[in-house]
Amino acid sequence: MSSILIQGGTVVTAAGTLDADVLVTGEKIAAVLARDVTGTGGQDETPAAAAADRVIDAAGKYVLPGGIDVHTHMEMPFGGTFSVDTFETGTRAAAWGGTTTIIDFAVQAKGTSLLATLDKWHAKADGNCAIDYGFHMIVSDVNDTTLKEMDACIGAGVNSFKMFMAYPGVFYATDGEILLAMQQAARSGATVMMHAENGIAIDQLVAQALAAGRTDPVDHGLTRPPELEGEATSRAITLAQVANCPLYIVHLSASQALEAVAEARDAGQNVFAETCPQYLFLSLDDLARPEFEGAKFVCSPPLRPRDHQDSLWRGLRTNDLCVVSTDHCPFCFKEQKELGRGDFSKIPNGMPGVEHRMDLLHQGVAAGRLSLPRWVEVASTTPARMFGLYPRKGVIATGSDADIVIYDPQARQSLSAATHHMNVDYSAYEGLEITGQVVTTLSRGRVVIDQGGYHGKPGDGNFLARGLNQYLL
Ligand SMILES: [Zn+2]
């Protein structure tokens, strides 16, 4: 087996920072070797360096566990079109940005079975991914067969089921259906993930807006008010309490929803929540950009007025928000977002982001909003624990997969569609100057990104059969 020594860096984990060299043998981390920083020189001649096949100099750099993005949508059908990143292009872009695991969503269409859906998504991803991947299951058709199949999904390594209180007629589930699925999940210890927006009320507001001639992208945001995310979040929490089911709120964007989550957590309920970089860095002002530019920022829940951002950053500090995922769901501006010219309700919902999550969160570190260990915790360690991958993933420790990112905290870069690697024709952060950049990414011991080049191939990534949520007793 080949070995790599990552030498001279600062290892950052959720537990803290350590001046240490990391020895990788084959696909695993073989040793974390603390350095005596008072010692003088001669590092090149350490026994570990002499024995390694390759030495990577990480002096002045952070050495992080690879990022885990638990919310992506590659090749996802939506509104008659598909998100434009394939599993191949999307996972490669993830690797460029220091993410070494994604968990994507298999999407049950009405009238189809969960297991057939899972097979279909395996066929899309198998042999194409640059990094390791798992699946959640979107349950959009609750019936006796589906409920029985949930256990089979768990047996197949899919332990988390996403449901929607939004999108009536598409993914929407009634409160009764949600309760049934939660009861089923609770019997097996599985987690239900919820898109919490009151879609029934939203559809009325959308119809009123269109009837009044309000058709611009900003009206997408105005017809999905934060109160209706807060209400749905509270309702999901209540249903989960009745069913005694662990609940994970996806892409939380509104302070009202955060308050509901915080209250439930304070009461000891198994309620968890993630947010996404777009809600931390972008706002309703972006949706209001002129000349249909706002369509680039249409996602659901929508971008919120700026004052919600402070609540979300505070939630990340207090752990009421414990994960940052991207909800990566890219649609090109040309021909896809443009489907909604003259009718915002026809703009495909979703934004690109899988490549920039680690970098954007690093801006939170640079601005003093997150500590270094907390950055790693929300981007890697907690996602691993939440979705049954720890300690194989999410930590730099002996025996863990060698998913490692070498990160230069001093580098400067400008985000742009001209330089990103996602298969989409715009950047939501065009021209944004940021501090920090991935230098090297290892995926299970293989150097896939290094010095500005991609060195992997489709199929390097393996499917991850996941265990249960590790925060449950
Ligand atoms: Zn999503």
Side-chain angles (χ1 to χ4, degrees):
M1 273 193 291
S2 70
S3 61
I4 298 173
L5 185 73
I6 300 168
Q7 192 174 53
T10 301
V11 172
V12 184
T13 68
T17 59
L18 180 68
D19 290 308
D21 301 340
V22 179
L23 180 66
V24 172
T25 305
E27 298 192 347
K28 300 285 184 186
I29 295 170
V32 180
L33 308 158
R35 284 195 307 279
D36 176 6
V37 291
T38 60
T40 50
Q43 279 186 359
D44 292 346
E45 291 131 40
T46 62
D53 298 316
R54 177 176 176 185
V55 175
I56 298 177
D57 177 16
K61 314 286 197 301
Y62 298 145
V63 180
L64 318 168
I68 300 176
D69 189 344
V70 300
H71 191 152
T72 66
H73 300 282
M74 309 302 175
E75 305 177 40
M76 194 189 89
F78 189 94
T81 185
F82 286 84
S83 61
V84 288
D85 263 317
T86 62
F87 279 90
E88 181 182 339
T89 64
T91 55
R92 197 167 57 214
W96 275 101
T99 287
T100 52
T101 299
I102 61 162
I103 308 181
D104 205 273
F105 291 85
V107 185
Q108 181 198 24
K110 295 248 190 233
T112 66
S113 87
L114 296 185
L115 292 175
T117 301
L118 191 55
D119 286 347
K120 199 168 160 186
W121 255 261
H122 274 301
K124 289 179 194 235
D126 187 28
N128 292 323
C129 292
I131 55 170
D132 288 352
Y133 61 96
F135 293 124
H136 313 287
M137 178 61 71
I138 287 178
V139 179
S140 58
D141 195 351
V142 177
N143 56 51
D144 288 347
T145 311
T146 299
L147 291 170
K148 286 200 190 79
E149 282 185 317
M150 285 171 68
D151 273 345
C153 288
I154 292 168
V158 175
N159 297 296
S160 35
F161 300 90
K162 184 182 179 188
M163 303 190 76
F164 289 79
M165 302 168 110
Y167 304 127
V170 189
F171 299 128
Y172 174 83
T174 66
D175 289 357
E177 290 166 342
I178 289 168
L179 185 74
L180 288 174
M182 283 180 166
Q183 288 172 331
Q184 182 65 39
R187 284 182 206 114
S188 313
T191 297
V192 166
M193 309 168 77
M194 190 62 73
H195 180 135
E197 284 188 293
N198 185 328
I200 300 289
I202 285 168
D203 272 9
Q204 297 302 327
L205 296 177
V206 170
Q208 287 170 355
L210 292 175
R214 292 187 282 115
T215 62
D216 292 337
V218 70
D219 294 303
H220 169 79
L222 298 175
T223 54
R224 308 181 82 94
E227 290 80 4
L228 293 182
E229 184 185 345
E231 181 277 329
T233 303
S234 296
R235 186 156 37 97
I237 288 168
T238 302
L239 292 168
Q241 187 176 28
V242 170
N244 196 25
C245 176
L247 175 67
Y248 179 93
I249 303 290
V250 294
H251 49 46
L252 188 148
S253 71
S255 58
Q256 289 90 336
L258 181 58
E259 280 168 28
V261 167
E263 191 182 335
R265 290 174 60 82
D266 287 349
Q269 198 177 335
N270 282 318
V271 172
F272 311 92
E274 65 176 19
T275 190
C276 311
Q278 54 269 34
Y279 303 117
L280 295 166
F281 291 94
L282 302 171
S283 76
L284 191 65
D285 297 344
D286 295 296
L287 261 181
R289 290 196 202 183
E291 306 292 329
F292 200 62
E293 277 280 297
K296 295 176 178 174
F297 303 92
V298 167
C299 58
S300 293
L303 301 181
R304 300 300 186 187
R306 198 159 281 281
D307 57 337
H308 289 261
Q309 292 175 357
D310 280 341
S311 305
L312 299 182
W313 283 109
R314 191 167 57 242
L316 277 178
R317 280 203 307 280
T318 61
N319 206 39
D320 289 320
L321 295 171
C322 56
V323 170
V324 177
S325 69
T326 60
D327 195 11
H328 175 75
C329 191
F331 296 100
C332 283
F333 185 70
K334 281 194 174 33
E335 294 181 10
Q336 290 191 305
K337 292 289 188 180
E338 284 180 338
L339 293 169
R341 271 194 200 274
D343 179 351
F344 67 85
S345 73
K346 296 199 166 63
I347 301 170
N349 283 207
M351 286 175 51
V354 73
E355 187 169 348
H356 298 317
R357 184 181 61 120
M358 301 298 283
D359 282 334
L360 287 167
L361 283 175
H362 185 252
Q363 307 320 297
V365 176
R369 287 177 178 274
L370 292 179
S371 69
L372 269 179
R374 184 64 178 158
W375 173 41
V376 169
E377 189 166 42
V378 300
S380 178
T381 311
T382 299
R385 288 189 164 127
M386 189 69 65
F387 294 104
L389 292 169
Y390 190 88
R392 180 172 171 194
K393 308 288 192 189
V395 65
I396 292 190
T398 303
S400 294
D401 281 358
D403 290 357
I404 299 173
V405 171
I406 302 173
Y407 196 82
D408 180 355
Q410 310 295 343
R412 301 279 301 166
Q413 56 169 326
S414 175
L415 303 185
S416 171
T419 49
H420 74 201
H421 303 86
M422 299 176 285
N423 185 34
V424 62
D425 64 0
Y426 76 95
S427 172
Y429 305 95
E430 187 65 43
L432 183 68
E433 300 278 341
I434 64 169
T435 302
Q437 190 163 25
V438 171
V439 180
T440 306
T441 303
L442 280 77
S443 170
R444 270 186 292 105
R446 284 165 298 106
V447 174
V448 291
I449 300 293
D450 192 40
Q451 308 294 339
Y454 173 65
H455 306 284
K457 62 181 188 312
D460 282 343
N462 286 345
F463 172 71
L464 298 165
R466 299 178 292 107
L468 295 173
N469 183 331
Q470 293 165 307
Y471 286 103
L472 305 176
L473 296 175

